[in-house]
Amino acid sequence: MSRTLVKDALHATAPMDSILLQGWVRTRRDAKAFSFIELNDGSSLKGIQVIADAGLPDYAHIAKANTGASLEVRGRLVESKGTGQRWEVVAEKFTVIGEADATYPLQKKGHTLEFLREIAHLRPRSNLFGAVFRVRSRLAYAIHQFFQNRGFHYVHTPIITASDCEGAGELFRVSTLDPVNPPKTEQGAIDYTKDFFGKQAYLTVSGQLEAEIFATALSNVYTFGPTFRAENSNTSRHASEFWMIEPEIAFCDLQGNMDLAEEFVKYLIRDAKEHCAGDLEFFSKFVDKDLLARLDFVLERPFQRCSYTEAVEILTASGRKWEHPVAWGDNLQSEHERFLAEEHFKCPVTVYNYPRTLKPFYMRVNDDGKTVTAMDLLVPGIGEIIGGSQREERLDVLQENMRAHHLPEKEYWWYLDLRRYGTVPHSGFGLGFERMLMFVTGVANIRDVIPFARTPGTAEF
Ligand code: 4AD
Ligand code: MG
């Protein structure tokens, strides 16, 4: 007999004379003539109730079926007489596969998120984290569906790279040199020509530059992979290792880029609502009461768009006392971004055309000479979830930008070649997968939407 997943048992349309279930005991309650076990196998938020009659030959083993133990149950799927569930299983044979004693940490509900982070190897067995990681899995699939259905090709960009795409210097070095006694140049500096790759190498901060190569060949491409940033920001929205989705589209300008970003975000929300309804209900009950209403609100309206210059005017006119006062030319801080999305526009807003000096070398310079075609999508509760731009396709302007950013042309020879041979206007963006998950689940800390969080000072598991 093959195993039935709890999810499928719960959705059965008729009773079943024989069923095999395997999972973990969430709770057990012993009455005089029966025991009731709630069995969960992670296929759904809900477990199934198993009834074990005290007359069963195995019944003596019931005491081993404690919370956390793994269990195999054979029996009958019958209509439940109790309330709250349609089906339950009457056990005919049960086997405790792996016991769990009273030290099992997930005995009772009501653990703090901080405590659960310390037991990241067990937290997927809790209701909250089971739900988070089912949504994560589903949305990873939906991302591929979204792009594949629109004729985009999936590109695997390298994880080890020699270039700093974002130019922010937040790179993790990849090296096999002896840290105690590294080879030195005559000037006394570390000699990276002796390192594994013959030059300095890092973990990628973005697959964009390589995605641009493929966009100028396959037209529409996307990447979806791990991304690393050694930024020492201990916030609820920054991780040192996170996943990013980066589409890159040839023959596309900033408008088309903003349209795609909006369509993409809405698609993912709709997909989660359709395929993870039970999990989203759980979040709206226990994590964020406004979640479902907010997601509907976001789906129903077009996102707002506003230029950086307008954004600064709005912030200045607000009469707020900012922790970081803002004037034209300053970076928007989290407090500004959240004000725009949460209080001013009260919905997702794309801010575009940022000052040239604030943004990386690859963004297209506008005719005003002062701004570049950057775009950041800001959402209520989180702030930036997408950063993107139209790329500079003009060789001479790009070279000038690189000089302004002190980037040596010889290291970007291949990137410049894309402008030498068949250059086209093209655009793209990066969506932080964890930030999107925070938005869809209402979970407030990035550490709780990634299986094993890497943040400054933490790389356990
Ligand atoms: O705005 P960013 O830095 O843009 C880029 O990397 C571009 N190369 C993307 C592109 O145009 N192809 O990062 C994009 C997104 C951010 O909006 C944010 O959602 C996420 O990546 N992100 C982070 N997520 C978690 N932890 C961090 N430390 C993050 N840094 C960026
Ligand atoms: Mg950004």
Side-chain angles (χ1 to χ4, degrees), residues 165-166 170 205-209 211-212 223 227-231 233 235 237-248 257 359-360 362-363 375-377 382 384-389 391 427-436 446:
C165 172
E166 294 306 297
E170 296 162 340
V205 296
S206 163
Q208 176 195 321
L209 303 186
E212 285 185 57
T223 71
T227 311
F228 306 87
R229 301 221 176 156
E231 80 198 288
S233 331
T235 79
R237 295 168 299 110
H238 288 90
S240 315
E241 175 178 323
F242 60 98
W243 283 61
M244 185 151 61
I245 302 101
E246 294 183 278
E248 193 68 35
N257 203 23
K359 294 290 183 182
Y362 54 72
M363 295 191 179
M375 61 175 227
D376 278 3
L377 175 63
I382 297 168
E384 178 190 337
I385 62 168
I386 282 181
S389 67
R391 321 305 189 190
S427 302
F429 62 81
L431 169 69
F433 189 38
E434 286 73 23
R435 296 213 184 150
M436 184 67 204
I446 197 164

Short mmCIF file of all heavy atoms in Angstrom, two decimals, residues 165-166 170 205-209 211-212 223 227-231 233 235 237-248 257 359-360 362-363 375-377 382 384-389 391 427-436 446, ligand 1:
data_model
loop_
_atom_site.label_atom_id
_atom_site.label_comp_id
_atom_site.label_asym_id
_atom_site.label_seq_id
_atom_site.Cartn_x
_atom_site.Cartn_y
_atom_site.Cartn_z
N CYS A 165 29.29 44.18 -9.04
CA CYS A 165 28.24 44.77 -9.87
C CYS A 165 27.70 46.06 -9.27
O CYS A 165 27.55 47.06 -9.95
CB CYS A 165 27.11 43.76 -10.04
SG CYS A 165 25.64 44.38 -10.84
N GLU A 166 27.41 46.03 -7.99
CA GLU A 166 26.75 47.19 -7.38
C GLU A 166 27.74 48.27 -6.93
O GLU A 166 27.34 49.36 -6.55
CB GLU A 166 25.89 46.74 -6.20
CG GLU A 166 24.71 45.87 -6.61
CD GLU A 166 23.84 46.51 -7.68
OE1 GLU A 166 23.26 47.56 -7.41
OE2 GLU A 166 23.78 45.97 -8.80
N GLU A 170 30.62 45.52 -0.88
CA GLU A 170 30.12 44.62 0.17
C GLU A 170 30.37 43.17 -0.21
O GLU A 170 29.47 42.35 -0.23
CB GLU A 170 28.62 44.87 0.36
CG GLU A 170 28.33 46.26 0.87
CD GLU A 170 26.90 46.70 0.67
OE1 GLU A 170 26.21 46.12 -0.17
OE2 GLU A 170 26.49 47.63 1.37
N VAL A 205 27.33 39.60 -5.76
CA VAL A 205 26.30 40.45 -5.14
C VAL A 205 25.09 40.61 -6.07
O VAL A 205 24.07 41.16 -5.67
CB VAL A 205 26.81 41.86 -4.76
CG1 VAL A 205 27.89 41.77 -3.70
CG2 VAL A 205 27.33 42.61 -5.99
N SER A 206 25.23 40.14 -7.31
CA SER A 206 24.15 40.27 -8.29
C SER A 206 24.58 39.56 -9.56
O SER A 206 25.75 39.61 -9.95
CB SER A 206 23.90 41.75 -8.60
OG SER A 206 23.17 41.88 -9.80
N GLY A 207 23.63 38.91 -10.22
CA GLY A 207 23.93 38.25 -11.49
C GLY A 207 23.67 39.14 -12.69
O GLY A 207 23.72 38.69 -13.83
N GLN A 208 23.41 40.40 -12.41
CA GLN A 208 22.93 41.29 -13.48
C GLN A 208 23.88 41.41 -14.67
O GLN A 208 23.46 41.32 -15.82
CB GLN A 208 22.68 42.68 -12.90
CG GLN A 208 22.27 43.68 -13.97
CD GLN A 208 22.39 45.10 -13.47
OE1 GLN A 208 22.06 45.36 -12.32
NE2 GLN A 208 22.83 46.00 -14.32
N LEU A 209 25.17 41.65 -14.40
CA LEU A 209 26.08 41.93 -15.53
C LEU A 209 26.13 40.73 -16.48
O LEU A 209 26.14 40.89 -17.70
CB LEU A 209 27.47 42.30 -15.02
CG LEU A 209 27.53 43.50 -14.06
CD1 LEU A 209 28.98 43.86 -13.75
CD2 LEU A 209 26.79 44.71 -14.63
N ALA A 211 23.71 38.50 -16.69
CA ALA A 211 22.37 38.39 -17.30
C ALA A 211 22.28 39.31 -18.52
O ALA A 211 21.65 38.97 -19.52
CB ALA A 211 21.28 38.74 -16.29
N GLU A 212 22.94 40.47 -18.45
CA GLU A 212 22.93 41.38 -19.61
C GLU A 212 23.55 40.73 -20.84
O GLU A 212 23.11 40.95 -21.96
CB GLU A 212 23.66 42.69 -19.27
CG GLU A 212 22.85 43.61 -18.37
CD GLU A 212 23.54 44.95 -18.14
OE1 GLU A 212 23.85 45.66 -19.12
OE2 GLU A 212 23.78 45.29 -16.97
N THR A 223 17.47 35.38 -13.92
CA THR A 223 18.29 34.56 -13.04
C THR A 223 17.48 34.37 -11.76
O THR A 223 16.58 35.15 -11.47
CB THR A 223 19.61 35.26 -12.64
OG1 THR A 223 19.29 36.33 -11.75
CG2 THR A 223 20.32 35.85 -13.84
N THR A 227 22.62 35.12 -3.48
CA THR A 227 23.32 36.39 -3.63
C THR A 227 23.92 36.71 -2.26
O THR A 227 23.31 36.38 -1.24
CB THR A 227 22.28 37.47 -4.01
OG1 THR A 227 21.50 36.97 -5.09
CG2 THR A 227 22.93 38.76 -4.41
N PHE A 228 25.08 37.35 -2.25
CA PHE A 228 25.80 37.52 -0.99
C PHE A 228 26.19 38.97 -0.78
O PHE A 228 26.71 39.61 -1.70
CB PHE A 228 27.06 36.65 -1.00
CG PHE A 228 26.74 35.20 -1.31
CD1 PHE A 228 26.68 34.76 -2.62
CD2 PHE A 228 26.48 34.29 -0.30
CE1 PHE A 228 26.36 33.43 -2.93
CE2 PHE A 228 26.15 32.97 -0.58
CZ PHE A 228 26.10 32.55 -1.90
N ARG A 229 25.95 39.48 0.39
CA ARG A 229 26.38 40.86 0.66
C ARG A 229 26.97 40.95 2.06
O ARG A 229 26.31 40.62 3.05
CB ARG A 229 25.19 41.82 0.55
CG ARG A 229 24.59 41.75 -0.84
CD ARG A 229 24.20 43.06 -1.42
NE ARG A 229 23.73 42.81 -2.78
CZ ARG A 229 22.92 43.58 -3.46
NH1 ARG A 229 22.47 44.68 -2.91
NH2 ARG A 229 22.58 43.28 -4.69
N ALA A 230 28.21 41.42 2.10
CA ALA A 230 28.89 41.57 3.39
C ALA A 230 28.60 42.94 3.96
O ALA A 230 29.49 43.66 4.38
CB ALA A 230 30.40 41.38 3.19
N GLU A 231 27.31 43.30 3.96
CA GLU A 231 26.98 44.62 4.52
C GLU A 231 26.66 44.39 5.99
O GLU A 231 25.95 43.46 6.35
CB GLU A 231 25.88 45.32 3.72
CG GLU A 231 24.47 44.95 3.95
CD GLU A 231 23.52 45.38 2.84
OE1 GLU A 231 23.25 46.57 2.71
OE2 GLU A 231 23.01 44.50 2.12
N SER A 233 24.68 45.30 8.16
CA SER A 233 23.42 45.90 8.61
C SER A 233 22.64 44.88 9.40
O SER A 233 22.21 43.87 8.85
CB SER A 233 22.53 46.33 7.44
OG SER A 233 23.27 46.66 6.34
N THR A 235 19.54 44.48 10.47
CA THR A 235 18.15 44.90 10.45
C THR A 235 17.27 43.68 10.20
O THR A 235 17.76 42.60 9.91
CB THR A 235 17.86 45.93 9.33
OG1 THR A 235 17.74 45.21 8.09
CG2 THR A 235 18.97 46.96 9.21
N ARG A 237 15.51 43.34 7.69
CA ARG A 237 15.32 43.20 6.25
C ARG A 237 16.58 42.86 5.48
O ARG A 237 16.56 42.75 4.27
CB ARG A 237 14.73 44.50 5.67
CG ARG A 237 13.34 44.81 6.20
CD ARG A 237 12.89 46.20 5.87
NE ARG A 237 13.79 47.18 6.48
CZ ARG A 237 14.63 47.95 5.81
NH1 ARG A 237 14.67 47.92 4.51
NH2 ARG A 237 15.41 48.80 6.45
N HIS A 238 17.70 42.72 6.19
CA HIS A 238 18.97 42.41 5.53
C HIS A 238 19.50 41.04 5.93
O HIS A 238 19.57 40.74 7.12
CB HIS A 238 20.03 43.46 5.88
CG HIS A 238 19.78 44.78 5.24
ND1 HIS A 238 19.03 45.76 5.84
CD2 HIS A 238 20.17 45.27 4.03
CE1 HIS A 238 18.97 46.81 5.03
NE2 HIS A 238 19.64 46.54 3.93
N ALA A 239 19.88 40.26 4.94
CA ALA A 239 20.58 39.00 5.21
C ALA A 239 21.88 39.03 4.42
O ALA A 239 21.99 39.73 3.41
CB ALA A 239 19.72 37.83 4.77
N SER A 240 22.88 38.29 4.90
CA SER A 240 24.17 38.27 4.20
C SER A 240 24.09 37.33 3.00
O SER A 240 24.82 37.48 2.03
CB SER A 240 25.26 37.79 5.14
OG SER A 240 25.13 38.44 6.38
N GLU A 241 23.21 36.36 3.08
CA GLU A 241 22.95 35.44 1.96
C GLU A 241 21.46 35.46 1.70
O GLU A 241 20.68 35.21 2.62
CB GLU A 241 23.41 34.03 2.33
CG GLU A 241 23.10 32.99 1.29
CD GLU A 241 23.60 31.59 1.67
OE1 GLU A 241 24.69 31.48 2.27
OE2 GLU A 241 22.90 30.62 1.37
N PHE A 242 21.07 35.84 0.50
CA PHE A 242 19.64 35.86 0.18
C PHE A 242 19.47 35.44 -1.27
O PHE A 242 20.45 35.25 -1.98
CB PHE A 242 19.03 37.25 0.44
CG PHE A 242 19.64 38.35 -0.36
CD1 PHE A 242 19.04 38.81 -1.53
CD2 PHE A 242 20.84 38.95 0.03
CE1 PHE A 242 19.61 39.84 -2.29
CE2 PHE A 242 21.42 39.97 -0.73
CZ PHE A 242 20.80 40.41 -1.88
N TRP A 243 18.24 35.27 -1.67
CA TRP A 243 17.98 34.84 -3.05
C TRP A 243 17.39 36.00 -3.83
O TRP A 243 16.57 36.75 -3.31
CB TRP A 243 17.04 33.63 -3.07
CG TRP A 243 17.77 32.36 -2.71
CD1 TRP A 243 18.42 32.12 -1.51
CD2 TRP A 243 17.98 31.22 -3.52
NE1 TRP A 243 18.99 30.87 -1.56
CE2 TRP A 243 18.74 30.30 -2.77
CE3 TRP A 243 17.58 30.87 -4.82
CZ2 TRP A 243 19.11 29.05 -3.27
CZ3 TRP A 243 17.95 29.61 -5.31
CH2 TRP A 243 18.71 28.72 -4.54
N MET A 244 17.86 36.14 -5.05
CA MET A 244 17.38 37.26 -5.87
C MET A 244 16.93 36.74 -7.23
O MET A 244 17.53 35.82 -7.78
CB MET A 244 18.48 38.32 -6.00
CG MET A 244 18.02 39.56 -6.73
SD MET A 244 18.86 41.09 -6.23
CE MET A 244 20.55 40.73 -6.64
N ILE A 245 15.88 37.36 -7.74
CA ILE A 245 15.37 37.08 -9.08
C ILE A 245 15.70 38.29 -9.92
O ILE A 245 15.34 39.42 -9.55
CB ILE A 245 13.84 36.87 -9.08
CG1 ILE A 245 13.44 35.74 -8.13
CG2 ILE A 245 13.33 36.61 -10.50
CD1 ILE A 245 12.93 36.20 -6.80
N GLU A 246 16.40 38.09 -11.02
CA GLU A 246 16.79 39.23 -11.85
C GLU A 246 16.43 39.00 -13.32
O GLU A 246 17.16 38.33 -14.04
CB GLU A 246 18.31 39.48 -11.72
CG GLU A 246 18.72 39.92 -10.33
CD GLU A 246 20.20 40.23 -10.23
OE1 GLU A 246 20.99 39.28 -10.07
OE2 GLU A 246 20.57 41.40 -10.31
N PRO A 247 15.31 39.56 -13.77
CA PRO A 247 15.02 39.54 -15.20
C PRO A 247 15.83 40.60 -15.93
O PRO A 247 16.18 41.63 -15.34
CB PRO A 247 13.52 39.86 -15.28
CG PRO A 247 13.24 40.62 -14.04
CD PRO A 247 14.21 40.18 -12.99
N GLU A 248 16.16 40.34 -17.16
CA GLU A 248 16.87 41.31 -18.00
C GLU A 248 16.24 41.23 -19.38
O GLU A 248 16.10 40.15 -19.95
CB GLU A 248 18.37 40.96 -18.04
CG GLU A 248 19.25 42.05 -18.60
CD GLU A 248 19.33 43.30 -17.70
OE1 GLU A 248 19.31 43.18 -16.47
OE2 GLU A 248 19.40 44.39 -18.29
N ASN A 257 9.99 48.20 -17.93
CA ASN A 257 10.59 47.54 -16.77
C ASN A 257 9.67 47.67 -15.54
O ASN A 257 9.42 46.70 -14.82
CB ASN A 257 11.93 48.23 -16.51
CG ASN A 257 12.92 47.38 -15.74
OD1 ASN A 257 12.83 46.15 -15.73
ND2 ASN A 257 13.88 48.03 -15.11
N LYS A 359 23.77 56.11 -7.61
CA LYS A 359 23.49 54.79 -8.20
C LYS A 359 24.70 54.22 -8.95
O LYS A 359 25.61 54.95 -9.32
CB LYS A 359 22.29 54.91 -9.13
CG LYS A 359 20.98 55.23 -8.39
CD LYS A 359 20.49 54.06 -7.54
CE LYS A 359 19.16 54.33 -6.85
NZ LYS A 359 18.71 53.22 -6.01
N PRO A 360 24.71 52.90 -9.17
CA PRO A 360 25.85 52.25 -9.82
C PRO A 360 26.11 52.72 -11.25
O PRO A 360 25.27 53.37 -11.88
CB PRO A 360 25.46 50.77 -9.82
CG PRO A 360 24.36 50.62 -8.85
CD PRO A 360 23.68 51.94 -8.75
N TYR A 362 26.18 51.35 -14.14
CA TYR A 362 25.55 50.77 -15.34
C TYR A 362 24.20 51.40 -15.69
O TYR A 362 23.58 51.06 -16.68
CB TYR A 362 25.36 49.26 -15.15
CG TYR A 362 24.60 48.88 -13.89
CD1 TYR A 362 23.24 49.10 -13.77
CD2 TYR A 362 25.27 48.30 -12.80
CE1 TYR A 362 22.55 48.76 -12.62
CE2 TYR A 362 24.59 47.95 -11.64
CZ TYR A 362 23.23 48.19 -11.56
OH TYR A 362 22.55 47.86 -10.41
N MET A 363 23.70 52.33 -14.86
CA MET A 363 22.36 52.87 -15.12
C MET A 363 22.40 53.96 -16.20
O MET A 363 23.35 54.72 -16.30
CB MET A 363 21.76 53.42 -13.83
CG MET A 363 21.52 52.33 -12.80
SD MET A 363 20.54 52.92 -11.44
CE MET A 363 20.42 51.40 -10.47
N MET A 375 14.99 52.58 -10.74
CA MET A 375 13.65 52.45 -10.14
C MET A 375 13.73 51.57 -8.91
O MET A 375 14.42 50.56 -8.89
CB MET A 375 12.66 51.83 -11.13
CG MET A 375 13.06 50.44 -11.61
SD MET A 375 11.79 49.73 -12.65
CE MET A 375 11.63 48.09 -11.97
N ASP A 376 13.05 51.97 -7.86
CA ASP A 376 12.95 51.16 -6.65
C ASP A 376 11.47 50.98 -6.36
O ASP A 376 10.73 51.97 -6.30
CB ASP A 376 13.58 51.88 -5.45
CG ASP A 376 15.10 51.70 -5.40
OD1 ASP A 376 15.66 51.08 -6.32
OD2 ASP A 376 15.71 52.19 -4.43
N LEU A 377 11.05 49.75 -6.17
CA LEU A 377 9.66 49.50 -5.77
C LEU A 377 9.60 49.40 -4.25
O LEU A 377 10.26 48.56 -3.64
CB LEU A 377 9.12 48.22 -6.42
CG LEU A 377 7.71 47.81 -5.96
CD1 LEU A 377 6.66 48.86 -6.33
CD2 LEU A 377 7.32 46.46 -6.57
N ILE A 382 7.65 47.15 4.53
CA ILE A 382 9.01 46.66 4.28
C ILE A 382 9.91 47.75 3.70
O ILE A 382 11.03 47.94 4.14
CB ILE A 382 8.97 45.45 3.32
CG1 ILE A 382 8.21 44.30 4.01
CG2 ILE A 382 10.39 44.99 2.99
CD1 ILE A 382 7.86 43.19 3.10
N GLU A 384 11.91 48.91 0.33
CA GLU A 384 12.34 48.45 -1.00
C GLU A 384 12.27 46.93 -1.14
O GLU A 384 12.86 46.21 -0.35
CB GLU A 384 13.79 48.93 -1.24
CG GLU A 384 14.33 48.45 -2.57
CD GLU A 384 15.83 48.68 -2.73
OE1 GLU A 384 16.39 49.56 -2.05
OE2 GLU A 384 16.44 47.96 -3.54
N ILE A 385 11.55 46.47 -2.15
CA ILE A 385 11.64 45.03 -2.46
C ILE A 385 12.25 44.79 -3.83
O ILE A 385 12.74 43.72 -4.11
CB ILE A 385 10.31 44.25 -2.33
CG1 ILE A 385 9.24 44.73 -3.29
CG2 ILE A 385 9.79 44.27 -0.90
CD1 ILE A 385 8.04 43.76 -3.33
N ILE A 386 12.22 45.82 -4.69
CA ILE A 386 12.82 45.69 -6.02
C ILE A 386 13.71 46.89 -6.28
O ILE A 386 13.36 48.02 -5.92
CB ILE A 386 11.72 45.62 -7.11
CG1 ILE A 386 11.09 44.23 -7.15
CG2 ILE A 386 12.28 46.02 -8.48
CD1 ILE A 386 10.01 44.07 -8.22
N GLY A 387 14.87 46.62 -6.88
CA GLY A 387 15.71 47.69 -7.39
C GLY A 387 16.05 47.36 -8.83
O GLY A 387 16.36 46.21 -9.13
N GLY A 388 15.96 48.34 -9.72
CA GLY A 388 16.26 48.05 -11.12
C GLY A 388 16.57 49.31 -11.88
O GLY A 388 16.66 50.40 -11.30
N SER A 389 16.71 49.16 -13.20
CA SER A 389 17.01 50.33 -14.03
C SER A 389 16.97 49.96 -15.51
O SER A 389 17.01 48.79 -15.87
CB SER A 389 18.41 50.88 -13.72
OG SER A 389 19.40 49.96 -14.13
N ARG A 391 19.50 50.17 -18.56
CA ARG A 391 20.96 50.14 -18.57
C ARG A 391 21.52 51.12 -19.59
O ARG A 391 20.89 51.35 -20.63
CB ARG A 391 21.48 48.73 -18.87
CG ARG A 391 20.70 47.58 -18.25
CD ARG A 391 20.56 47.68 -16.76
NE ARG A 391 20.00 46.44 -16.19
CZ ARG A 391 19.59 46.30 -14.95
NH1 ARG A 391 19.60 47.34 -14.12
NH2 ARG A 391 19.13 45.16 -14.50
N SER A 427 16.75 46.69 -20.09
CA SER A 427 16.39 47.01 -18.72
C SER A 427 16.23 45.74 -17.91
O SER A 427 16.05 44.66 -18.47
CB SER A 427 15.05 47.76 -18.67
OG SER A 427 15.10 48.93 -19.43
N GLY A 428 16.25 45.91 -16.60
CA GLY A 428 16.04 44.76 -15.73
C GLY A 428 15.90 45.20 -14.30
O GLY A 428 16.04 46.39 -13.97
N PHE A 429 15.62 44.24 -13.44
CA PHE A 429 15.51 44.57 -12.02
C PHE A 429 15.83 43.35 -11.18
O PHE A 429 15.96 42.23 -11.72
CB PHE A 429 14.12 45.11 -11.69
CG PHE A 429 12.96 44.16 -11.95
CD1 PHE A 429 12.63 43.17 -11.03
CD2 PHE A 429 12.19 44.28 -13.10
CE1 PHE A 429 11.56 42.30 -11.25
CE2 PHE A 429 11.11 43.42 -13.33
CZ PHE A 429 10.81 42.43 -12.40
N GLY A 430 15.98 43.57 -9.90
CA GLY A 430 16.20 42.48 -8.96
C GLY A 430 15.13 42.50 -7.88
O GLY A 430 14.89 43.54 -7.27
N LEU A 431 14.48 41.36 -7.69
CA LEU A 431 13.52 41.24 -6.59
C LEU A 431 14.16 40.39 -5.50
O LEU A 431 14.64 39.28 -5.77
CB LEU A 431 12.22 40.55 -7.06
CG LEU A 431 11.25 40.13 -5.94
CD1 LEU A 431 10.61 41.35 -5.27
CD2 LEU A 431 10.15 39.20 -6.46
N GLY A 432 14.21 40.93 -4.29
CA GLY A 432 14.71 40.14 -3.16
C GLY A 432 13.65 39.12 -2.77
O GLY A 432 12.55 39.49 -2.36
N PHE A 433 13.98 37.83 -2.93
CA PHE A 433 12.97 36.79 -2.71
C PHE A 433 12.46 36.81 -1.27
O PHE A 433 11.26 36.70 -1.02
CB PHE A 433 13.58 35.43 -3.05
CG PHE A 433 12.58 34.29 -3.08
CD1 PHE A 433 11.29 34.46 -3.57
CD2 PHE A 433 12.95 33.03 -2.61
CE1 PHE A 433 10.38 33.40 -3.60
CE2 PHE A 433 12.04 31.97 -2.64
CZ PHE A 433 10.76 32.14 -3.13
N GLU A 434 13.38 36.98 -0.32
CA GLU A 434 12.95 36.97 1.09
C GLU A 434 12.06 38.17 1.41
O GLU A 434 11.11 38.06 2.17
CB GLU A 434 14.16 36.95 2.03
CG GLU A 434 14.86 35.58 2.09
CD GLU A 434 15.65 35.27 0.84
OE1 GLU A 434 16.03 36.22 0.11
OE2 GLU A 434 15.91 34.07 0.56
N ARG A 435 12.39 39.32 0.82
CA ARG A 435 11.53 40.49 1.09
C ARG A 435 10.14 40.27 0.51
O ARG A 435 9.14 40.67 1.09
CB ARG A 435 12.18 41.75 0.53
CG ARG A 435 13.49 42.05 1.24
CD ARG A 435 13.77 43.52 1.34
NE ARG A 435 15.08 43.70 1.93
CZ ARG A 435 15.87 44.73 1.66
NH1 ARG A 435 15.47 45.68 0.83
NH2 ARG A 435 17.04 44.83 2.25
N MET A 436 10.08 39.63 -0.65
CA MET A 436 8.78 39.31 -1.23
C MET A 436 8.02 38.36 -0.32
O MET A 436 6.81 38.51 -0.10
CB MET A 436 8.99 38.69 -2.62
CG MET A 436 7.70 38.41 -3.38
SD MET A 436 6.83 39.93 -3.83
CE MET A 436 5.15 39.31 -3.99
N ILE A 446 13.38 38.96 8.30
CA ILE A 446 13.92 38.18 7.18
C ILE A 446 14.48 36.83 7.65
O ILE A 446 14.47 35.85 6.92
CB ILE A 446 14.98 39.01 6.42
CG1 ILE A 446 15.25 38.41 5.04
CG2 ILE A 446 16.27 39.17 7.23
CD1 ILE A 446 15.97 39.33 4.08
O1 4AD B 1 18.73 47.10 -5.23
P1 4AD B 1 19.72 45.99 -5.42
O2 4AD B 1 21.04 46.13 -4.78
O3 4AD B 1 19.83 45.81 -7.00
C1 4AD B 1 20.69 45.00 -7.65
O4 4AD B 1 21.42 44.18 -7.14
C2 4AD B 1 20.56 45.08 -9.16
N1 4AD B 1 21.77 44.50 -9.75
C3 4AD B 1 19.32 44.36 -9.58
C4 4AD B 1 19.10 44.42 -11.06
O5 4AD B 1 18.82 45.47 -11.59
N2 4AD B 1 19.22 43.29 -11.74
O6 4AD B 1 19.07 44.63 -4.92
C5 4AD B 1 17.85 44.16 -5.45
C6 4AD B 1 16.92 43.68 -4.35
C7 4AD B 1 16.55 44.74 -3.34
O7 4AD B 1 15.50 45.55 -3.79
C8 4AD B 1 16.14 43.89 -2.15
O8 4AD B 1 14.83 43.40 -2.30
C9 4AD B 1 17.09 42.72 -2.26
O9 4AD B 1 17.56 42.67 -3.58
N3 4AD B 1 18.22 42.87 -1.33
C10 4AD B 1 18.34 42.22 -0.17
N4 4AD B 1 17.55 41.32 0.43
C11 4AD B 1 17.94 40.83 1.61
N5 4AD B 1 19.10 41.16 2.24
C12 4AD B 1 19.95 42.06 1.66
N6 4AD B 1 21.09 42.36 2.28
C13 4AD B 1 19.57 42.63 0.41
N7 4AD B 1 20.15 43.52 -0.43
C14 4AD B 1 19.32 43.65 -1.47
#
